[in-house]
């Protein structure tokens, strides 16, 4: 049951969401906006659209239990709470409200319910890449591009044609933020050498869009990059044609494992994949050259 709303001059949760999107969302992707709206609407649907000072910590606990009962993992619920806390904290700060954030100190049980994504074993990776070459269309080019670069799906889906540099001595893909697709972290901006099936895919993408702006126009335009739609389509194809236990993100896990097998240094692995550096010292300097990165990636591809 919802708590009766008392007399209050504080903004409601929906008004706080509008403030949050106005102040924080101007340079953010559609995914950022949709995620914030979805999480706040879930709270409103369960607890009502109250003034911020009318929510209690017990209400946040009810929302936690409701989310877990829906089958979400603890990690997913924590991410949702992070967005909800941010929305409320911003309005409390902006309005100078004399209230605490009821979503700020919620206990989460240690359920150990995180599902680890499997990395593609090499025999299935070969099968996947063979089928991609056989079908030879834009969706298979997308899979092949990721398979030998380890790009995140959104990074690949949101590429512009100009991001594919194929005429250089070391061909590469330039991963950088665009108005239609931001990057996950600052360290995600990088240049990744193209070799193997990724180079084949990049050549096909560029040849098929000689005057186009986007590498995958079926998923991307000047306003948004719909990687969620791409994920659903590609995962369905992988489940039907390769194996049910793997998804498109499994290719990113495979990339790290394949580089480890050829004893690639961890700093180079992190630079190739755009993973965060493990130490402060590793974040200094300009990083490794494309030529050196390419040598390791070619070694990885040739190691079958």
């Amino acid at each position: 049951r919802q708590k009766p709303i008392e007399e209050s001059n504080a903004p409601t949760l929906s008004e706080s969401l509008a403030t949050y999107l106005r102040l924080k969302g101007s340079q953010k992707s559609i995914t950022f906006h949709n995620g914030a709206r979805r999480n706040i609407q879930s709270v409103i649907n369960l607890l009502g659209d109250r003034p911020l000072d009318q929510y209690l910590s017990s209400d946040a606990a009810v929302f936690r239990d409701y989310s877990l009962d829906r089958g979400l993992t603890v990690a997913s619920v924590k991410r949702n709470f992070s967005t909800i806390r941010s929305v409320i904290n911003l309005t409390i700060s902006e309005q100078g409200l004399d209230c605490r954030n009821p979503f700020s100190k919620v206990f989460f049980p240690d359920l150990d319910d995180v599902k680890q994504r499997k990395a593609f074993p090499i025999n299935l990776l070969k099968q996947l890449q063979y089928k991609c070459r056989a079908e030879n269309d834009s969706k298979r080019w997308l899979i092949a591009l990721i398979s030998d670069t380890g790009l995140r799906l959104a990074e690949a889906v949101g590429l512009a044609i100009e991001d594919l540099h194929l005429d250089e001595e070391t061909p590469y893909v330039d991963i950088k933020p665009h108005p239609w697709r931001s990057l996950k972290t600052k360290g995600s901006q990088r240049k990744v050498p193209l070799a193997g099936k990724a180079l084949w895919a990049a050549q096909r993408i560029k040849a098929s869009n000689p005057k186009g702006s986007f590498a995958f126009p079926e998923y991307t335009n000047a306003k948004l990059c719909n990687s969620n739609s791409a994920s659903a389509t590609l995962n369905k194809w992988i489940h039907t044609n390769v194996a049910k236990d793997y998804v498109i993100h499994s290719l990113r896990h495979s990339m790290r494992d394949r580089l480890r097998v050829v004893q690639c240094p961890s700093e180079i692995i992190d630079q190739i994949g755009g993973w965060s550096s493990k130490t402060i010292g590793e974040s200094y300097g300009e990083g490794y050259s494309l030529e050196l990165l390419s040598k390791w990636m070619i070694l990885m591809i040739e190691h079958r």
Side-chain angles (χ1 to χ4, degrees):
R1 294 177 58 186
Q2 295 181 8
K3 174 189 173 186
I5 297 177
E6 301 173 3
E7 189 73 22
S8 175
N9 294 320
T12 63
L13 186 56
S14 61
E15 290 170 338
S16 301
L17 172 63
T19 299
Y20 180 78
L21 294 178
R22 176 172 58 84
L23 296 178
K24 290 286 189 74
S26 60
Q27 301 297 321
K28 299 293 186 178
S29 68
I30 190 68
T31 302
F32 173 88
H33 286 256
N34 289 344
R37 290 192 181 100
R38 181 176 60 251
N39 290 325
I40 294 301
Q41 190 59 51
S42 294
V43 176
I44 292 172
N45 290 344
L46 183 68
L47 303 172
D49 188 17
R50 311 180 198 171
L52 294 188
D53 58 3
Q54 299 299 301
Y55 292 101
L56 304 174
S57 58
S58 57
D59 294 319
V62 168
F63 183 72
R64 173 204 60 204
D65 293 342
Y66 164 78
S67 300
L68 292 173
D69 288 344
R70 289 175 55 214
L72 296 179
T73 64
V74 170
S76 294
V77 177
K78 284 182 177 180
R79 283 194 297 270
N80 295 346
F81 264 68
S82 177
T83 299
I84 297 164
R85 283 196 302 269
S86 296
V87 169
I88 295 175
N89 281 337
L90 181 63
T91 294
I92 289 176
S93 176
E94 286 288 308
Q95 300 286 331
L97 301 179
D98 185 20
C99 66
R100 62 182 292 274
N101 189 334
F103 287 80
S104 62
K105 292 184 179 180
V106 178
F107 176 80
F108 290 94
D110 186 9
L111 299 180
D112 192 25
D113 56 356
V114 177
K115 297 178 182 178
Q116 295 293 334
R117 292 188 177 99
K118 296 181 180 180
F120 270 95
I122 200 66
N123 64 313
L124 286 183
L125 179 65
K126 289 180 179 179
Q127 182 180 339
L128 177 82
Q129 292 180 331
Y130 174 82
K131 288 179 179 290
C132 285
R133 288 206 63 146
E135 293 204 21
N136 193 24
D137 60 14
S138 63
K139 292 179 178 59
R140 264 41 69 177
W141 302 338
L142 176 54
I143 295 173
L145 178 67
I146 294 171
S147 73
D148 275 340
T149 58
L151 299 185
R152 298 179 178 92
L153 179 59
E155 291 173 346
V157 171
L159 288 172
I161 290 294
E162 65 179 15
D163 295 333
L164 300 172
H165 298 261
L166 305 185
D167 298 327
E168 307 292 332
E169 184 173 347
T170 300
Y172 69 93
V173 54
D174 191 5
I175 308 300
K176 59 187 179 184
H178 288 296
W180 55 86
R181 188 263 286 132
S182 58
L183 297 180
K184 185 174 183 180
T185 64
K186 183 178 179 181
S188 298
Q189 185 164 339
R190 63 200 187 281
K191 295 177 180 178
V192 181
L194 291 166
K197 298 302 183 293
L199 178 57
W200 167 80
Q203 291 167 338
R204 297 299 305 133
I205 293 165
K206 203 155 189 177
S208 68
N209 297 283
K211 297 181 180 179
S213 299
F214 305 104
F216 300 100
E218 63 267 48
Y219 298 119
T220 303
N221 57 46
K223 293 183 178 179
L224 63 89
C225 165
N226 194 348
S227 59
N228 288 336
S229 176
S231 177
T233 300
L234 300 182
N235 286 338
K236 182 178 180 180
W237 183 84
I238 290 171
H239 294 162
T240 303
N241 293 274
V242 183
K244 292 184 178 180
D245 295 334
Y246 301 90
V247 294
I248 189 68
H249 194 72
S250 300
L251 292 171
R252 184 162 166 82
H253 290 261
S254 299
M255 185 74 177
R256 193 169 189 99
D257 285 350
R258 293 164 67 198
L259 286 167
R260 285 194 189 108
V261 166
V262 296
Q263 300 182 344
C264 179
S266 60
E267 289 182 40
I268 293 180
I269 295 176
D270 288 341
Q271 184 173 328
I272 290 171
W275 284 289
S276 299
S277 298
K278 303 300 184 299
T279 67
I280 294 175
E282 289 176 11
S283 65
Y284 282 76
E286 296 295 325
Y288 295 95
S289 68
L290 270 172
E291 291 75 18
L292 182 59
L293 299 182
S294 181
K295 288 180 181 178
W296 281 106
M297 293 186 74
I298 290 171
L299 183 63
M300 174 199 75
I301 290 167
E302 291 178 346
H303 183 85
R304 296 288 178 133

